[in-house]
Amino acid sequence: MKVTIAGAGIGGLSLALMLHERGIEVEVFEAVGAIKPLGVGINLLPHASQQLCKLGLEDALAANAIETSTLAYFNQFGQEIWREARGRAAGYDSPQFSIHRGELQMALLAKVQERIGKDKVHSGHAFTSFEQIADKVVGQFTRREDGATVQSECDVLVGADGIHSSVRKFLYPNGDQPRFSGRMLWRAVTEAEPYMDGRSMFMAGHQDQKFVCYPISEPLRRGGRSLINWIAELRVPNGELPSTDWNRKVDKSVFAAPFQNWKWDWIDIPAIIDGAKEIYEFPLVDRDPLPRWTFGRVTLLGDAAHPMYPIGSNGSAQAILDARYLADCLADDADTSYALREYEAERLPKTTGIVLRNRMNGPEQVMQMAESRAPQGFTNIDEVIPRQTLEAISQRYKRLAGFDKDSLKTKA
């Protein structure tokens, strides 16, 4: 069997390694001319890090990523709503890592090139179309350097080419537009003094005004400093989805004013914003869940299949879980068509549930509850939201996303 993957992001590269482990030939095509460590921070929850550790990446991740100890939610006055241990600090067998997305992608790429071969990863090749002929798929890619058409004949074609997926567009040419939330995100990294224990993630505010912080550099932490990945989020009055450039560089003046008073005894958010060298703007978007991903011997994976709001730290994690299940299905079943349908039957409803729950703020709904019930702040959070309610919200989302401890034991 040979599998062709369109997209060399986290999902596509994870799938390539997992297929190779199962003795399946694989070839990867990436649209960008040179794969570089771009992006900002991401979180790898225990269900995702478990799979990457199995691929032999734990040492590389541990050397660069922060092993997250705590997640905490606060209101807009810096008053604590909920705090819980994370990863190994919470008793999981696998860690939760916070890492620069580009570092993770490059670590995956290095493993793919080492194990599968540099000649199996083709950068600068943009997917254009496919044709299914008998029991084969012929994918067509345009080579950017000269415009030539390159064909890849395979048994399975996987579209793992992100939220702007060309494979998805080929399968669904009409009526599949991004769904804009009306909120904008501004993302950056800032080197600063550590906050809390130097390994904690926090979110503050509510649905229409939110700030997220987490450190992403273990080498800096060891030196007594912190590389803080942060996201500022605001609802944009009468906002419209930008038609182009979803990753444009902007000045802090575009969004910083509403956060100017967010200075608390344990962190100074205006100073964090001021310390960023570059700030990038993103619309908060997803797409409506699809009725199907699989068409014959072609299927979708990761953000190409189920783009979701970055709530609950689950985008990259679900791509990695897609990859694990798809690799298992293709390795375990000689009937390729059945294997792809089995993959879809398992993963499509699960990820649809996460997409829809993230539209309802996922586990971050506790901040909106606190804002609605106590807009001027509170003295005792238990009088605003009972602890059992907070615990139930946290546990429900973990079960939905597949990283409650019981689920992870069955996947080990």
Side-chain angles (χ1 to χ4, degrees):
M1 181 187 293
K2 177 184 175 182
V3 176
T4 293
I5 302 170
I10 291 168
L13 294 172
S14 297
L15 177 62
L17 290 169
M18 293 171 180
L19 291 171
H20 179 71
E21 274 196 333
R22 291 155 179 77
I24 297 172
E25 183 183 355
V26 63
E27 197 164 19
V28 182
F29 291 82
E30 169 56 47
V32 302
I35 303 172
K36 298 177 181 179
L38 302 177
V40 282
I42 60 171
N43 272 278
L44 291 171
L45 302 181
H47 54 341
S49 71
Q50 180 189 68
Q51 300 305 321
L52 296 184
C53 291
K54 287 180 180 180
L55 291 172
L57 285 160
E58 183 168 5
D59 289 344
L61 293 174
N64 293 291
I66 293 289
E67 187 168 335
T68 309
S69 67
T70 307
L71 168 65
Y73 297 105
F74 297 85
N75 67 4
Q76 61 178 310
F77 306 107
Q79 297 171 317
E80 186 175 305
I81 301 166
W82 172 251
R83 177 188 295 251
E84 63 180 41
R86 280 292 175 120
R88 288 192 174 119
Y92 285 86
D93 293 332
S94 301
Q96 175 171 328
F97 284 124
S98 297
I99 188 171
H100 191 285
R101 183 195 178 281
E103 288 186 356
L104 172 59
Q105 185 180 15
M106 299 310 289
L108 286 165
L109 178 62
K111 286 293 182 185
V112 169
Q113 292 175 332
E114 171 192 329
R115 296 177 185 178
I116 305 175
K118 292 184 178 180
D119 61 327
K120 297 297 184 182
V121 181
H122 309 281
S123 59
H125 286 69
F127 170 86
T128 52
S129 65
F130 70 79
E131 186 178 4
Q132 302 200 55
I133 305 171
D135 59 351
K136 296 292 182 180
V137 184
V138 179
Q140 299 212 26
F141 299 83
T142 299
R143 190 165 56 209
R144 292 193 182 277
E145 65 179 9
D146 58 7
T149 296
V150 176
Q151 293 188 339
S152 176
E153 183 178 296
C154 55
D155 299 285
V156 175
L157 171 66
V158 180
D161 48 343
I163 190 170
H164 300 295
S165 170
S166 296
V167 180
R168 177 172 174 143
K169 182 68 174 177
F170 190 79
L171 295 172
Y172 291 92
N174 300 306
D176 182 37
Q177 300 304 310
R179 189 177 186 275
F180 183 40
S181 65
R183 286 130 66 188
M184 297 296 293
L185 308 176
W186 294 272
R187 306 190 66 168
V189 293
T190 298
E191 183 178 334
E193 291 292 322
Y195 65 86
M196 296 168 71
D197 67 351
R199 297 194 297 123
S200 293
M201 176 180 187
F202 80 85
M203 304 181 189
H206 51 87
Q207 153 177 306
D208 294 335
Q209 181 180 356
K210 182 171 66 179
F211 202 85
V212 179
C213 267
Y214 53 91
I216 58 173
S217 173
E218 175 61 14
L220 269 182
R221 188 194 71 83
R222 290 176 179 169
R225 297 287 287 170
S226 188
L227 185 63
I228 299 171
N229 179 85
W230 58 263
I231 305 133
E233 178 178 337
L234 291 173
R235 182 167 295 281
V236 182
N238 304 313
E240 295 183 359
L241 180 65
S243 57
T244 59
D245 194 1
W246 285 16
N247 187 23
R248 68 189 185 103
K249 198 180 298 185
V250 300
D251 186 78
K252 66 180 182 181
S253 60
V254 174
F255 67 91
F259 297 98
Q260 63 182 346
N261 295 322
W262 288 29
K263 300 177 184 180
W264 309 315
D265 58 1
W266 54 277
I267 197 166
D268 183 337
I269 287 177
I272 296 292
I273 295 173
D274 289 344
K277 294 180 180 179
E278 297 179 334
I279 301 171
Y280 294 90
E281 181 180 79
F282 299 78
L284 182 62
V285 300
D286 64 7
R287 293 182 192 266
D288 287 330
L290 294 173
R292 57 189 290 206
W293 300 343
T294 299
F295 293 77
R297 291 172 172 264
V298 179
T299 196
L300 300 172
L301 179 147
D303 279 350
H306 46 75
M308 59 185 65
Y309 294 167
I311 288 173
S313 307
N314 254 291
S316 58
Q318 294 306 314
I320 293 166
L321 296 186
D322 288 348
R324 164 66 188 271
Y325 201 79
L326 178 55
D328 284 347
C329 288
L330 291 173
D332 293 345
D333 202 301
D335 184 338
T336 301
S337 177
Y338 183 87
L340 293 177
R341 294 197 306 272
E342 166 60 29
Y343 157 71
E344 177 183 281
E346 172 72 12
R347 295 298 300 156
L348 190 152
K350 287 187 175 181
T351 54
T352 293
I354 300 171
V355 170
L356 298 178
R357 281 285 175 81
N358 281 6
R359 288 179 180 177
M360 300 162 60
N361 290 316
E364 297 174 22
Q365 65 182 285
V366 299
M367 294 190 293
Q368 189 62 28
M369 292 171 68
E371 172 67 13
S372 298
R373 299 180 185 184
Q376 303 305 315
F378 51 79
T379 303
N380 183 351
I381 186 60
D382 292 337
E383 297 174 354
V384 179
I385 312 172
R387 182 171 181 81
Q388 57 265 35
T389 299
L390 295 170
E391 290 175 344
I393 290 170
S394 173
Q395 190 61 25
R396 184 170 63 228
Y397 191 80
K398 289 173 184 174
R399 285 195 299 268
L400 172 74
F403 68 102
D404 60 299
K405 291 178 185 177
D406 290 340
S407 294
L408 278 179
K409 287 177 183 176
T410 64
K411 292 172 183 172

